[in-house]
């Protein structure tokens, strides 16, 4: 049985942002059929669905929404929204106004007032962080407004991507995800990276990230990273004669020189020392 909750963090009254004035942020697991409206607001109110389903009515149009989607309520617009009676939605929200508040409308583009950020976790995480900032005694507006801008940036990027012609939905999204992961591995291979850290950086679960990567490359990210490191080590052995095997291993992100040697032999059929001797002639 779901645990129903409602949490809200209010902005300090004496603090106002220059670009955005964040009023409050919150989160809720609603009850089945929970309904708000029809009503109007005198500020912008952005919701992001975490789980479950519901419907949002604006300008006479009913939108069915689920996890990963967002909806924007504009000032003085008559709206209503209700959770699904079977799968009631949980969502987070942020209320704001200010000189740059109209940027929120631009982020949604022609699909206003609905956006779909897919499997990305970043919007939900940013809204949760906004709540944390609003509880601070200082810097509340700066932090909350920054989180709002992160959410709008993700919405704008997703909206633009989905409006591109000749897209095939999840296939293109997965292609972009794999390219992003490949760039991360190519540039960060020498760092102590983990799959958990990579998944968090890209905004996806580790299981989904691994599945998509293996489907497109034929190997897991962990296996790809190991081969990448060994290949980089082989290049360093050839180009940097003054470095010891231990120093080469450390330079490619492997702290155990013995492990590096074993993997090098597995891939190339000889030890690092034997390879270097063959290249340099002793």
């Amino acid at each position: 049985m779901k645990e129903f909750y409602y949490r809200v963090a209010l902005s300090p009254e004496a603090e106002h942002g220059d670009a955005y004035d964040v009023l409050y942020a919150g989160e809720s697991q609603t009850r089945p059929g929970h309904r708000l409206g029809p009503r109007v607001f005198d500020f912008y109110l952005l919701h992001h669905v975490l789980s479950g389903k519901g419907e949002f009515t604006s300008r006479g149009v009913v939108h069915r929404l689920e996890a990963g989607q967002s909806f924007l309520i504009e000032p003085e617009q008559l709206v209503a929204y209700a959770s699904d009676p079977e799968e009631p939605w949980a969502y987070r929200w942020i209320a704001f106004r200010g000189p740059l508040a109209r940027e929120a409308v631009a982020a949604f583009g022609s699909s206003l007032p609905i956006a779909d950020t897919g499997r990305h976790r970043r919007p939900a995480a940013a809204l949760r962080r906004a709540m944390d900032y609003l509880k601070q005694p200082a810097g509340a507006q700066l932090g909350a407004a920054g989180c709002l801008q992160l959410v709008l940036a993700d919405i704008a990027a997703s909206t633009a991507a989905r409006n591109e012609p000749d897209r095939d939905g999840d296939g293109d999204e997965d292609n972009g995800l794999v390219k992003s992961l490949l760039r991360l591995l190519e540039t960060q291979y020498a760092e102590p990276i983990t799959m958990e850290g990579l998944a968090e950086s890209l905004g996806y679960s580790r299981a989904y990230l691994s599945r998509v990567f293996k489907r497109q490359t034929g190997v897991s990210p962990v296996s790809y990273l190991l081969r990448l490191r060994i290949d980089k080590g082989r290049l360093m052995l050839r180009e940097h004669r003054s470095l010891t095997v231990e120093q080469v291993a450390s330079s490619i992100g492997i702290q155990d020189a013995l492990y590096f040697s074993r993997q090098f032999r597995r891939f190339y059929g000889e030890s690092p020392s034997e390879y270097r001797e063959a290249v340099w002639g002793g």
Side-chain angles (χ1 to χ4, degrees):
M1 183 176 179
K2 289 184 179 294
E3 175 191 354
F4 304 110
Y5 59 83
Y6 177 92
R7 308 181 186 106
V8 65
L10 302 176
S11 174
E13 291 183 355
E15 195 174 4
H16 298 282
D18 293 331
Y20 297 97
D21 183 9
V22 177
L23 306 175
Y24 59 86
E27 61 184 358
S28 177
Q29 169 60 66
T30 63
R31 296 182 181 277
H34 172 75
R35 183 176 183 84
L36 286 171
R39 61 166 298 184
V40 297
F41 296 82
D42 60 0
F43 47 81
Y44 290 90
L45 185 57
L46 190 157
H47 286 70
H48 182 74
V49 183
L50 305 175
S51 62
K53 299 177 181 179
E55 61 181 38
F56 171 60
T57 304
S58 176
R59 294 184 173 92
V61 179
V62 178
H63 305 271
R64 294 286 300 172
L65 304 175
E66 57 187 24
Q69 294 183 296
S70 304
F71 61 94
L72 178 68
I73 298 172
E74 297 179 81
E76 310 308 326
Q77 286 289 337
L78 184 65
V79 299
Y81 46 108
S83 63
D84 187 85
E86 301 295 331
E87 301 178 59
W89 56 13
Y91 46 45
R92 289 181 181 147
W93 65 84
I94 187 166
F96 59 97
R97 57 191 172 201
L100 296 185
R102 289 288 301 175
E103 286 189 351
V105 176
F108 279 75
S110 61
S111 60
L112 187 77
I114 303 301
D116 190 343
T117 51
R119 303 175 184 87
H120 284 296
R121 295 177 175 179
R122 289 190 299 264
L127 290 174
R128 184 66 185 86
R129 187 66 176 143
M131 293 178 64
D132 294 337
Y133 275 119
L134 291 177
K135 297 174 184 177
Q136 294 182 173
Q141 276 294 325
L142 287 171
C147 291
L148 170 61
Q149 288 181 293
L150 289 174
V151 176
L152 293 177
D154 278 330
I155 287 174
S158 296
T159 298
R162 291 176 186 279
N163 288 338
E164 288 178 3
D166 302 321
R167 287 183 57 84
D168 60 358
D170 287 347
D172 280 348
E173 182 179 344
D174 290 348
N175 287 338
L177 175 59
V178 171
K179 288 179 181 177
S180 295
L181 182 52
L182 286 171
R183 285 196 298 271
L184 273 173
L185 294 176
E186 287 285 350
T187 58
Q188 303 297 309
Y189 67 88
E191 304 300 325
I193 55 179
T194 64
M195 275 305 300
E196 289 79 8
L198 290 171
E200 182 177 355
S201 297
L202 294 170
Y204 291 82
S205 70
R206 171 178 175 167
Y208 178 77
L209 192 62
S210 297
R211 185 167 64 251
V212 170
F213 189 89
K214 188 169 185 177
R215 184 168 65 235
Q216 295 203 17
T217 66
V219 296
S220 70
V222 173
S223 296
Y224 183 91
L225 175 60
L226 176 60
R227 182 59 188 254
L228 177 63
R229 283 171 165 168
I230 299 303
D231 287 347
K232 295 290 185 180
R234 185 169 184 256
L235 181 63
M236 292 188 74
L237 287 168
R238 184 169 66 248
E239 295 185 349
H240 299 277
R241 190 175 187 180
S242 62
L243 295 180
T244 66
V245 171
E246 290 79 7
Q247 290 169 335
V248 169
S250 179
S251 298
I252 59 171
I254 297 177
Q255 302 307 313
D256 186 340
L258 182 59
Y259 176 77
F260 169 62
S261 296
R262 287 201 305 268
Q263 296 303 319
F264 192 97
R265 182 180 291 277
R266 181 165 74 90
F267 285 117
Y268 294 113
E270 58 185 343
S271 71
S273 298
E274 289 169 342
Y275 172 75
R276 174 170 274 173
E277 183 176 348
V279 170
W280 292 102

